[in-house]
Amino acid sequence: MRLDRYTVGQYSPGAPLWQQVAWYYLGLPIVKSHWIVGSGFKCTVLRWFGAQIGEGVRIKPGLKIKFPWRLVVGDFVWLGEDCWIDNVAMVTIDTQTCISQGVYLCTGNHDWSSPTFDLKDLPIHIGSGCWIAAKATIGPGVTVGDGAVLCLGSVTGRSLDPMTVYAGNPAQPIKQRKIAAIPDAVLAADKDVS
């Protein structure tokens, strides 16, 4: 390879330089903070920098996000401690999904067949009701189907089918996911609250 000839080609970070610098020195330290433990202010900061954040989102300490303007998070999503959303391309996380501690979401890669190691960026889309367990890794261009589970420490560079549990490196399907019905008492309590 000739890394001395590497360029990013047509790639752009998607925001002006002032916004990137402000994020790096102001926004990111707040979102990563272990001193600020509440999610509400961190969600507000992410919105200031262009992220689309739903209601009821929980953010644990240590969350690292490369570019918030390339992040869409649905309602009632949990973002675990020390997650790294390395989003040189768009990352979308749909509602009611849990991203556990230490998860790595990687949207960037390189063309190892190119003599100049060209950058490749592909989005990640994680569906509703998913669980990406601790220390799991998802690579560029992956779509995780609704209700899928990626088990502890598993790695995938391929899309995952809905309602399927995956484990290993590379992740393989191990069984179908079955979710118990919500008890009537819980549903009735939800109606009373609304």
Side-chain angles (χ1 to χ4, degrees), residues 31-83:
V31 172
K32 282 180 64 174
S33 174
H34 288 261
W35 292 93
I36 302 170
V37 294
S39 297
F41 183 58
K42 291 180 179 186
C43 288
T44 298
V45 170
L46 285 169
R47 289 182 190 110
W48 287 343
F49 283 93
Q52 297 176 43
I53 306 292
E55 66 176 85
V57 172
R58 301 287 181 189
I59 297 176
K60 294 293 188 175
L63 174 66
K64 183 177 176 183
I65 297 168
K66 186 161 207 104
F67 297 140
W69 47 90
R70 289 192 170 147
L71 179 64
V72 176
V73 177
D75 297 337
F76 304 104
V77 168
W78 295 356
L79 299 173
E81 192 165 0
D82 297 322
C83 289

Short mmCIF file of all heavy atoms in Angstrom, two decimals, residues 31-83:
data_model
loop_
_atom_site.label_atom_id
_atom_site.label_comp_id
_atom_site.label_asym_id
_atom_site.label_seq_id
_atom_site.Cartn_x
_atom_site.Cartn_y
_atom_site.Cartn_z
N VAL A 31 -21.15 15.12 26.59
CA VAL A 31 -21.84 13.84 26.35
C VAL A 31 -21.06 12.67 26.96
O VAL A 31 -21.66 11.75 27.51
CB VAL A 31 -22.08 13.64 24.84
CG1 VAL A 31 -22.61 12.25 24.54
CG2 VAL A 31 -23.07 14.68 24.32
N LYS A 32 -19.73 12.70 26.90
CA LYS A 32 -18.90 11.63 27.46
C LYS A 32 -18.79 11.68 28.98
O LYS A 32 -18.39 10.70 29.61
CB LYS A 32 -17.47 11.72 26.89
CG LYS A 32 -17.31 11.19 25.51
CD LYS A 32 -15.89 11.32 25.02
CE LYS A 32 -14.94 10.49 25.84
NZ LYS A 32 -13.56 10.49 25.30
N SER A 33 -19.14 12.81 29.57
CA SER A 33 -18.87 13.08 30.98
C SER A 33 -19.39 12.00 31.93
O SER A 33 -20.51 11.50 31.79
CB SER A 33 -19.49 14.42 31.37
OG SER A 33 -19.36 14.64 32.75
N HIS A 34 -18.55 11.69 32.90
CA HIS A 34 -18.97 10.83 34.00
C HIS A 34 -19.50 11.68 35.15
O HIS A 34 -20.10 11.14 36.08
CB HIS A 34 -17.79 9.96 34.47
CG HIS A 34 -17.45 8.89 33.49
ND1 HIS A 34 -17.87 7.59 33.63
CD2 HIS A 34 -16.74 8.92 32.33
CE1 HIS A 34 -17.43 6.86 32.62
NE2 HIS A 34 -16.74 7.65 31.81
N TRP A 35 -19.29 12.98 35.10
CA TRP A 35 -19.77 13.89 36.15
C TRP A 35 -21.22 14.28 35.92
O TRP A 35 -21.96 14.51 36.86
CB TRP A 35 -18.91 15.15 36.18
CG TRP A 35 -17.51 14.86 36.65
CD1 TRP A 35 -16.44 14.57 35.87
CD2 TRP A 35 -17.06 14.76 38.00
NE1 TRP A 35 -15.34 14.32 36.64
CE2 TRP A 35 -15.69 14.43 37.96
CE3 TRP A 35 -17.67 14.92 39.23
CZ2 TRP A 35 -14.93 14.27 39.10
CZ3 TRP A 35 -16.91 14.75 40.37
CH2 TRP A 35 -15.56 14.43 40.30
N ILE A 36 -21.61 14.41 34.66
CA ILE A 36 -23.00 14.74 34.33
C ILE A 36 -23.70 13.41 34.07
O ILE A 36 -23.51 12.78 33.04
CB ILE A 36 -23.08 15.65 33.09
CG1 ILE A 36 -22.29 16.93 33.32
CG2 ILE A 36 -24.53 15.95 32.74
CD1 ILE A 36 -22.12 17.79 32.08
N VAL A 37 -24.49 12.97 35.04
CA VAL A 37 -25.06 11.63 34.94
C VAL A 37 -26.45 11.60 34.32
O VAL A 37 -26.91 10.56 33.88
CB VAL A 37 -25.08 10.92 36.32
CG1 VAL A 37 -23.67 10.67 36.79
CG2 VAL A 37 -25.85 11.74 37.34
N GLY A 38 -27.14 12.72 34.28
CA GLY A 38 -28.49 12.75 33.72
C GLY A 38 -28.49 12.72 32.20
O GLY A 38 -27.59 13.24 31.55
N SER A 39 -29.49 12.09 31.64
CA SER A 39 -29.59 11.96 30.19
C SER A 39 -30.17 13.19 29.51
O SER A 39 -29.84 13.49 28.36
CB SER A 39 -30.47 10.76 29.83
OG SER A 39 -29.89 9.58 30.30
N GLY A 40 -31.05 13.91 30.20
CA GLY A 40 -31.77 15.01 29.58
C GLY A 40 -30.87 16.07 28.99
O GLY A 40 -31.03 16.48 27.83
N PHE A 41 -29.89 16.53 29.77
CA PHE A 41 -28.99 17.58 29.27
C PHE A 41 -28.12 17.05 28.13
O PHE A 41 -27.88 17.75 27.14
CB PHE A 41 -28.12 18.12 30.41
CG PHE A 41 -27.23 19.26 29.97
CD1 PHE A 41 -27.77 20.41 29.42
CD2 PHE A 41 -25.86 19.16 30.12
CE1 PHE A 41 -26.94 21.45 29.00
CE2 PHE A 41 -25.03 20.20 29.71
CZ PHE A 41 -25.57 21.35 29.16
N LYS A 42 -27.67 15.81 28.23
CA LYS A 42 -26.85 15.23 27.17
C LYS A 42 -27.65 15.12 25.87
O LYS A 42 -27.13 15.39 24.78
CB LYS A 42 -26.30 13.87 27.59
CG LYS A 42 -25.26 13.98 28.70
CD LYS A 42 -24.72 12.63 29.10
CE LYS A 42 -23.67 12.78 30.19
NZ LYS A 42 -23.03 11.51 30.51
N CYS A 43 -28.92 14.75 25.97
CA CYS A 43 -29.77 14.69 24.77
C CYS A 43 -29.93 16.08 24.15
O CYS A 43 -29.88 16.24 22.93
CB CYS A 43 -31.14 14.11 25.12
SG CYS A 43 -31.14 12.35 25.45
N THR A 44 -30.09 17.10 25.00
CA THR A 44 -30.20 18.47 24.51
C THR A 44 -28.94 18.90 23.77
O THR A 44 -29.01 19.49 22.68
CB THR A 44 -30.49 19.43 25.69
OG1 THR A 44 -31.74 19.06 26.27
CG2 THR A 44 -30.55 20.87 25.23
N VAL A 45 -27.77 18.59 24.33
CA VAL A 45 -26.50 18.93 23.68
C VAL A 45 -26.40 18.24 22.32
O VAL A 45 -26.01 18.86 21.32
CB VAL A 45 -25.30 18.58 24.59
CG1 VAL A 45 -23.98 18.70 23.83
CG2 VAL A 45 -25.30 19.48 25.82
N LEU A 46 -26.77 16.97 22.26
CA LEU A 46 -26.73 16.26 20.99
C LEU A 46 -27.65 16.93 19.96
O LEU A 46 -27.29 17.07 18.79
CB LEU A 46 -27.12 14.80 21.17
CG LEU A 46 -26.05 13.91 21.81
CD1 LEU A 46 -26.62 12.56 22.20
CD2 LEU A 46 -24.87 13.74 20.86
N ARG A 47 -28.83 17.35 20.40
CA ARG A 47 -29.74 18.05 19.49
C ARG A 47 -29.14 19.37 19.00
O ARG A 47 -29.30 19.75 17.83
CB ARG A 47 -31.09 18.29 20.17
CG ARG A 47 -31.90 17.03 20.37
CD ARG A 47 -33.26 17.32 21.00
NE ARG A 47 -33.91 16.11 21.39
CZ ARG A 47 -34.10 15.72 22.65
NH1 ARG A 47 -33.71 16.48 23.67
NH2 ARG A 47 -34.72 14.58 22.91
N TRP A 48 -28.46 20.11 19.89
CA TRP A 48 -27.81 21.36 19.50
C TRP A 48 -26.84 21.13 18.35
O TRP A 48 -26.66 22.00 17.50
CB TRP A 48 -27.04 21.96 20.66
CG TRP A 48 -27.86 22.57 21.75
CD1 TRP A 48 -29.18 22.94 21.71
CD2 TRP A 48 -27.39 22.90 23.06
NE1 TRP A 48 -29.56 23.44 22.93
CE2 TRP A 48 -28.48 23.44 23.78
CE3 TRP A 48 -26.17 22.77 23.70
CZ2 TRP A 48 -28.37 23.87 25.09
CZ3 TRP A 48 -26.07 23.20 25.02
CH2 TRP A 48 -27.15 23.74 25.70
N PHE A 49 -26.22 19.96 18.33
CA PHE A 49 -25.22 19.66 17.30
C PHE A 49 -25.79 18.86 16.13
O PHE A 49 -25.04 18.32 15.33
CB PHE A 49 -24.02 18.95 17.93
CG PHE A 49 -23.11 19.89 18.67
CD1 PHE A 49 -23.28 20.10 20.02
CD2 PHE A 49 -22.13 20.57 18.00
CE1 PHE A 49 -22.46 20.99 20.71
CE2 PHE A 49 -21.30 21.45 18.67
CZ PHE A 49 -21.46 21.67 20.04
N GLY A 50 -27.12 18.80 16.02
CA GLY A 50 -27.74 18.24 14.83
C GLY A 50 -28.24 16.82 14.92
O GLY A 50 -28.81 16.31 13.95
N ALA A 51 -28.06 16.15 16.05
CA ALA A 51 -28.60 14.79 16.20
C ALA A 51 -30.12 14.86 16.32
O ALA A 51 -30.67 15.81 16.88
CB ALA A 51 -28.01 14.11 17.42
N GLN A 52 -30.78 13.83 15.80
CA GLN A 52 -32.22 13.69 15.99
C GLN A 52 -32.42 12.67 17.12
O GLN A 52 -32.13 11.48 16.92
CB GLN A 52 -32.89 13.23 14.71
CG GLN A 52 -32.76 14.23 13.57
CD GLN A 52 -33.34 13.70 12.28
OE1 GLN A 52 -34.42 13.11 12.27
NE2 GLN A 52 -32.62 13.90 11.19
N ILE A 53 -32.87 13.14 18.27
CA ILE A 53 -32.98 12.31 19.46
C ILE A 53 -34.44 12.27 19.91
O ILE A 53 -35.05 13.32 20.12
CB ILE A 53 -32.10 12.86 20.61
CG1 ILE A 53 -30.66 13.06 20.17
CG2 ILE A 53 -32.20 11.97 21.85
CD1 ILE A 53 -29.91 11.78 19.87
N GLY A 54 -34.98 11.08 20.06
CA GLY A 54 -36.36 10.91 20.49
C GLY A 54 -36.55 11.16 21.97
O GLY A 54 -35.62 11.53 22.68
N GLU A 55 -37.75 10.91 22.45
CA GLU A 55 -38.04 11.11 23.87
C GLU A 55 -37.67 9.87 24.67
O GLU A 55 -37.63 8.76 24.14
CB GLU A 55 -39.51 11.47 24.08
CG GLU A 55 -40.49 10.37 23.73
CD GLU A 55 -41.92 10.77 24.05
OE1 GLU A 55 -42.54 11.42 23.18
OE2 GLU A 55 -42.40 10.42 25.14
N GLY A 56 -37.36 10.08 25.94
CA GLY A 56 -37.07 8.97 26.85
C GLY A 56 -35.76 8.27 26.58
O GLY A 56 -35.55 7.14 27.03
N VAL A 57 -34.83 8.92 25.87
CA VAL A 57 -33.53 8.31 25.57
C VAL A 57 -32.65 8.36 26.81
O VAL A 57 -32.57 9.39 27.48
CB VAL A 57 -32.84 9.01 24.38
CG1 VAL A 57 -31.42 8.52 24.18
CG2 VAL A 57 -33.66 8.80 23.10
N ARG A 58 -31.99 7.25 27.13
CA ARG A 58 -31.08 7.15 28.29
C ARG A 58 -29.65 7.08 27.78
O ARG A 58 -29.33 6.24 26.94
CB ARG A 58 -31.37 5.90 29.12
CG ARG A 58 -32.78 5.83 29.65
CD ARG A 58 -32.96 6.82 30.76
NE ARG A 58 -34.31 6.72 31.27
CZ ARG A 58 -34.82 7.56 32.13
NH1 ARG A 58 -34.10 8.56 32.57
NH2 ARG A 58 -36.05 7.41 32.54
N ILE A 59 -28.81 7.96 28.30
CA ILE A 59 -27.40 8.00 27.91
C ILE A 59 -26.55 7.77 29.15
O ILE A 59 -26.62 8.54 30.11
CB ILE A 59 -27.04 9.35 27.27
CG1 ILE A 59 -27.83 9.55 25.98
CG2 ILE A 59 -25.54 9.43 27.01
CD1 ILE A 59 -27.62 10.90 25.33
N LYS A 60 -25.74 6.74 29.13
CA LYS A 60 -24.83 6.44 30.23
C LYS A 60 -23.50 7.16 30.02
O LYS A 60 -23.17 7.57 28.91
CB LYS A 60 -24.60 4.92 30.32
CG LYS A 60 -25.84 4.15 30.71
CD LYS A 60 -26.23 4.48 32.12
CE LYS A 60 -27.34 3.58 32.62
NZ LYS A 60 -27.64 3.82 34.01
N PRO A 61 -22.69 7.30 31.07
CA PRO A 61 -21.40 7.98 30.96
C PRO A 61 -20.47 7.29 29.97
O PRO A 61 -20.51 6.08 29.78
CB PRO A 61 -20.83 7.90 32.38
CG PRO A 61 -22.02 7.72 33.27
CD PRO A 61 -23.00 6.92 32.46
N GLY A 62 -19.63 8.10 29.34
CA GLY A 62 -18.59 7.58 28.46
C GLY A 62 -19.00 7.41 27.01
O GLY A 62 -18.21 6.96 26.20
N LEU A 63 -20.24 7.77 26.66
CA LEU A 63 -20.69 7.64 25.28
C LEU A 63 -19.85 8.53 24.37
O LEU A 63 -19.67 9.72 24.64
CB LEU A 63 -22.17 8.04 25.15
CG LEU A 63 -22.74 8.08 23.73
CD1 LEU A 63 -22.76 6.68 23.11
CD2 LEU A 63 -24.14 8.68 23.74
N LYS A 64 -19.33 7.96 23.29
CA LYS A 64 -18.51 8.71 22.34
C LYS A 64 -19.20 8.67 20.98
O LYS A 64 -19.53 7.59 20.49
CB LYS A 64 -17.12 8.08 22.25
CG LYS A 64 -16.16 8.81 21.35
CD LYS A 64 -14.79 8.14 21.39
CE LYS A 64 -13.84 8.78 20.42
NZ LYS A 64 -12.53 8.09 20.41
N ILE A 65 -19.41 9.84 20.40
CA ILE A 65 -20.06 9.96 19.10
C ILE A 65 -19.17 10.81 18.21
O ILE A 65 -18.77 11.91 18.59
CB ILE A 65 -21.45 10.62 19.22
CG1 ILE A 65 -22.36 9.74 20.09
CG2 ILE A 65 -22.07 10.85 17.85
CD1 ILE A 65 -23.64 10.40 20.51
N LYS A 66 -18.85 10.31 17.03
CA LYS A 66 -17.97 11.06 16.13
C LYS A 66 -18.65 12.31 15.60
O LYS A 66 -18.15 13.40 15.74
CB LYS A 66 -17.50 10.17 14.98
CG LYS A 66 -16.48 10.86 14.10
CD LYS A 66 -15.71 9.85 13.28
CE LYS A 66 -14.35 10.37 12.94
NZ LYS A 66 -13.28 9.80 13.70
N PHE A 67 -19.81 12.14 14.94
CA PHE A 67 -20.51 13.26 14.33
C PHE A 67 -22.00 13.20 14.70
O PHE A 67 -22.76 12.44 14.09
CB PHE A 67 -20.38 13.23 12.81
CG PHE A 67 -18.97 13.37 12.29
CD1 PHE A 67 -18.55 12.61 11.20
CD2 PHE A 67 -18.08 14.28 12.85
CE1 PHE A 67 -17.27 12.76 10.69
CE2 PHE A 67 -16.80 14.42 12.35
CZ PHE A 67 -16.39 13.66 11.27
N PRO A 68 -22.46 14.00 15.66
CA PRO A 68 -23.87 13.93 16.07
C PRO A 68 -24.84 14.28 14.95
O PRO A 68 -25.98 13.81 14.95
CB PRO A 68 -23.97 14.93 17.23
CG PRO A 68 -22.78 15.80 17.09
CD PRO A 68 -21.71 15.00 16.42
N TRP A 69 -24.42 15.08 13.99
CA TRP A 69 -25.29 15.45 12.86
C TRP A 69 -25.53 14.27 11.93
O TRP A 69 -26.32 14.37 11.01
CB TRP A 69 -24.72 16.64 12.09
CG TRP A 69 -23.25 16.53 11.77
CD1 TRP A 69 -22.70 15.97 10.65
CD2 TRP A 69 -22.17 16.97 12.57
NE1 TRP A 69 -21.33 16.03 10.71
CE2 TRP A 69 -20.97 16.66 11.89
CE3 TRP A 69 -22.07 17.61 13.82
CZ2 TRP A 69 -19.71 16.95 12.39
CZ3 TRP A 69 -20.82 17.90 14.32
CH2 TRP A 69 -19.66 17.58 13.61
N ARG A 70 -24.89 13.15 12.19
CA ARG A 70 -25.14 11.91 11.44
C ARG A 70 -25.68 10.83 12.36
O ARG A 70 -25.31 9.66 12.26
CB ARG A 70 -23.85 11.45 10.75
CG ARG A 70 -23.47 12.35 9.61
CD ARG A 70 -22.39 11.76 8.76
NE ARG A 70 -22.25 12.57 7.56
CZ ARG A 70 -21.12 12.77 6.94
NH1 ARG A 70 -20.00 12.22 7.36
NH2 ARG A 70 -21.07 13.51 5.85
N LEU A 71 -26.58 11.23 13.26
CA LEU A 71 -27.15 10.29 14.23
C LEU A 71 -28.65 10.54 14.37
O LEU A 71 -29.08 11.67 14.59
CB LEU A 71 -26.46 10.46 15.59
CG LEU A 71 -26.96 9.56 16.71
CD1 LEU A 71 -26.69 8.09 16.40
CD2 LEU A 71 -26.31 9.95 18.03
N VAL A 72 -29.43 9.46 14.24
CA VAL A 72 -30.87 9.49 14.48
C VAL A 72 -31.17 8.40 15.51
O VAL A 72 -30.83 7.23 15.30
CB VAL A 72 -31.67 9.22 13.18
CG1 VAL A 72 -33.16 9.15 13.48
CG2 VAL A 72 -31.37 10.29 12.14
N VAL A 73 -31.79 8.81 16.63
CA VAL A 73 -32.11 7.89 17.72
C VAL A 73 -33.60 8.02 18.02
O VAL A 73 -34.09 9.12 18.30
CB VAL A 73 -31.27 8.20 18.98
CG1 VAL A 73 -31.66 7.28 20.13
CG2 VAL A 73 -29.78 8.09 18.68
N GLY A 74 -34.31 6.90 17.98
CA GLY A 74 -35.75 6.90 18.25
C GLY A 74 -36.07 7.01 19.73
O GLY A 74 -35.19 7.18 20.58
N ASP A 75 -37.35 6.88 20.05
CA ASP A 75 -37.82 7.00 21.43
C ASP A 75 -37.40 5.80 22.28
O ASP A 75 -37.36 4.66 21.79
CB ASP A 75 -39.35 7.10 21.45
CG ASP A 75 -39.87 8.33 20.73
OD1 ASP A 75 -39.12 9.33 20.60
OD2 ASP A 75 -41.04 8.30 20.31
N PHE A 76 -37.12 6.09 23.55
CA PHE A 76 -36.85 5.07 24.57
C PHE A 76 -35.70 4.13 24.18
O PHE A 76 -35.78 2.92 24.34
CB PHE A 76 -38.12 4.30 24.93
CG PHE A 76 -39.22 5.22 25.37
CD1 PHE A 76 -40.27 5.52 24.52
CD2 PHE A 76 -39.17 5.83 26.61
CE1 PHE A 76 -41.26 6.40 24.91
CE2 PHE A 76 -40.17 6.72 27.01
CZ PHE A 76 -41.21 7.01 26.15
N VAL A 77 -34.64 4.72 23.66
CA VAL A 77 -33.41 3.98 23.35
C VAL A 77 -32.45 4.14 24.52
O VAL A 77 -32.37 5.21 25.12
CB VAL A 77 -32.79 4.52 22.04
CG1 VAL A 77 -31.38 3.98 21.83
CG2 VAL A 77 -33.67 4.17 20.85
N TRP A 78 -31.72 3.09 24.83
CA TRP A 78 -30.67 3.13 25.85
C TRP A 78 -29.33 3.07 25.15
O TRP A 78 -29.08 2.18 24.34
CB TRP A 78 -30.77 1.96 26.81
CG TRP A 78 -32.00 1.93 27.66
CD1 TRP A 78 -32.99 2.85 27.73
CD2 TRP A 78 -32.36 0.88 28.57
NE1 TRP A 78 -33.95 2.45 28.62
CE2 TRP A 78 -33.59 1.24 29.15
CE3 TRP A 78 -31.77 -0.32 28.93
CZ2 TRP A 78 -34.21 0.45 30.10
CZ3 TRP A 78 -32.40 -1.11 29.86
CH2 TRP A 78 -33.62 -0.73 30.45
N LEU A 79 -28.45 4.02 25.48
CA LEU A 79 -27.08 4.04 24.97
C LEU A 79 -26.15 3.81 26.15
O LEU A 79 -26.00 4.68 27.01
CB LEU A 79 -26.79 5.38 24.27
CG LEU A 79 -27.68 5.68 23.06
CD1 LEU A 79 -27.44 7.09 22.54
CD2 LEU A 79 -27.45 4.66 21.95
N GLY A 80 -25.52 2.65 26.19
CA GLY A 80 -24.77 2.19 27.36
C GLY A 80 -23.43 2.86 27.56
O GLY A 80 -22.90 3.56 26.68
N GLU A 81 -22.88 2.61 28.72
CA GLU A 81 -21.61 3.18 29.12
C GLU A 81 -20.49 2.80 28.15
O GLU A 81 -20.37 1.64 27.75
CB GLU A 81 -21.27 2.69 30.53
CG GLU A 81 -20.13 3.42 31.18
CD GLU A 81 -20.07 3.17 32.67
OE1 GLU A 81 -20.92 2.43 33.20
OE2 GLU A 81 -19.16 3.72 33.30
N ASP A 82 -19.70 3.80 27.79
CA ASP A 82 -18.52 3.62 26.93
C ASP A 82 -18.83 3.08 25.53
O ASP A 82 -17.96 2.47 24.91
CB ASP A 82 -17.47 2.75 27.62
CG ASP A 82 -16.95 3.41 28.90
OD1 ASP A 82 -16.78 4.65 28.89
OD2 ASP A 82 -16.71 2.69 29.88
N CYS A 83 -20.04 3.30 25.04
CA CYS A 83 -20.32 2.97 23.64
C CYS A 83 -19.57 3.95 22.74
O CYS A 83 -19.35 5.09 23.10
CB CYS A 83 -21.81 3.13 23.33
SG CYS A 83 -22.83 1.89 24.06
#
